[in-house]
Amino acid sequence: MPRLLVARLLLPAGAWALSCSGGCATAGASTAASALSDAGATALAEGALDEAEARLRLALEYQPTLAEAHVNLGLVALARGDLEGAEASLRVALRLDEDSEEAWQSLGVVRLGRGDEEGARRAFEAALAIDPGLLGARRNLADLWLRRARYGEARAQLFRVLALAAPGSEDARRAGAQLAWCELRLGRPAAAKARADRVLGPFPDDPHGRLVRGALRAEAGDFPGAREDLRAAEGHVDTAPHASLRLAALLVAHGRLREAAPRVRALLRRRAQEPAVRLVAGWYALGRVDVATSRTHT
């Protein structure tokens, strides 16, 4: 259920104070490079990508070894959807400064975008080895473990996100709701309910909280409540895959075959190889007294 957090813009520390004894030209170039890099980062933050790129490239003409400018050029490319260009700039930044946690974090986002989950994991963990308090990398690593259904690892990272995030912040809310999902998948319904209730109190429409509560209501036999919660979770990109599957199973189990039909067809189009999807599709076919189709799925 991932939603990636892209690295924050990286600003240089400021102009270097250098002596003029033989170093005035170098000092002037460094000052100009830092000023242009700052201006490029500001333009990037404002979404002015062309202006940002121009200023960052000028900064690098003055000082080609300015790692921060290469990182932000990578973010410009990432904002344009140019994953190859983003990775190239970030690799340069890391050759110049292998301890750039922002470059590692951003590289993790790029690697995920290119479908390389293992490379993304290594990049996020490299960023956190340098700065364990890097909240973006921590969140993205938790999301990656959730995507891979590694709920124990995700749970450990989410507790660290809660330790780092400001109470009441979006990061804290989302981590708490995802923790509820992890607890449910790890077979801890009481802990899942407690986490979900804690989130849904101040945030009654939180999709992860609704997903967990819907699943728990389904297990308790509360069909109307479960259907309401799972429908709500189905409308959010992060929770839709799990909510749709659980809602289809709920509807089939209660004989609501007409309502289940479009969900079962959509699940088969997108995720036909998943055992849980095939099982629900088999139940649906059996409910329609289509034994032959049921057998093909189960």
Side-chain angles (χ1 to χ4, degrees), residues 43-245:
L44 177 55
E46 294 170 350
L49 301 182
D50 290 339
E51 290 80 356
E53 181 179 8
R55 292 164 185 170
L56 292 167
R57 292 200 181 281
L58 276 171
L60 291 171
E61 288 183 29
Y62 276 105
Q63 189 176 340
T65 58
L66 191 61
E68 295 90 343
H70 286 288
V71 173
N72 283 335
L73 270 180
L75 294 180
V76 168
L78 191 57
R80 289 172 171 160
D82 177 9
L83 298 179
E84 184 176 352
E87 181 160 356
S89 291
L90 294 168
R91 292 290 186 191
V92 173
L94 287 169
R95 283 199 296 271
L96 294 168
D97 179 9
E98 65 180 2
D99 291 329
S100 172
E101 68 272 21
E102 296 292 353
W104 282 115
Q105 176 176 246
S106 301
L107 183 61
V109 175
V110 171
R111 297 310 301 164
L112 263 187
R114 302 184 80 172
D116 179 8
E117 292 187 355
E118 186 58 24
R121 179 193 64 78
R122 290 194 299 268
F124 293 140
E125 289 180 348
L128 292 170
I130 298 164
D131 181 2
L134 199 60
L135 190 56
R138 187 74 65 184
R139 270 184 47 184
N140 285 341
L141 185 57
D143 282 344
L144 178 56
W145 289 131
L146 283 169
R147 177 185 292 196
R148 300 173 81 171
R150 299 278 292 272
Y151 297 109
E153 290 92 335
R155 182 178 183 271
Q157 293 301 326
L158 289 167
F159 271 112
R160 294 172 200 177
V161 171
L162 284 176
L164 292 168
S169 67
E170 168 66 14
D171 286 320
R173 178 197 65 78
R174 188 163 182 269
Q178 289 177 321
L179 264 174
W181 176 245
C182 288
E183 300 288 20
L184 182 69
R185 296 308 302 268
L186 290 168
R188 299 167 182 157
K193 183 179 185 305
R195 285 279 171 192
D197 288 346
R198 192 180 305 175
V199 170
L200 290 169
F203 303 102
D205 294 325
D206 181 88
H208 292 92
R210 297 291 294 271
L211 172 62
V212 171
R213 190 173 67 184
L216 291 171
R217 283 176 164 176
E219 291 174 7
D222 177 5
F223 173 73
R227 180 170 62 172
E228 180 185 358
D229 278 333
L230 293 173
R231 278 177 171 173
E234 196 178 31
H236 192 279
V237 64
D238 286 352
T239 50
H242 298 284
S244 293
L245 179 59

Side-chain angles (χ1 to χ4, degrees), residues 224-283:
R227 180 170 62 172
E228 180 185 358
D229 278 333
L230 293 173
R231 278 177 171 173
E234 196 178 31
H236 192 279
V237 64
D238 286 352
T239 50
H242 298 284
S244 293
L245 179 59
R246 286 176 176 265
L247 184 54
L250 178 73
L251 294 169
V252 170
H254 284 80
R256 306 295 183 97
L257 300 183
R258 182 174 296 179
E259 189 177 348
R263 292 177 172 86
V264 172
R265 287 195 293 267
L267 287 166
L268 286 172
R269 281 198 306 273
R270 299 167 187 163
R271 301 156 58 188
Q273 300 309 310
E274 293 183 26
V277 169
R278 296 181 67 82
L279 184 61
V280 171
W283 291 344

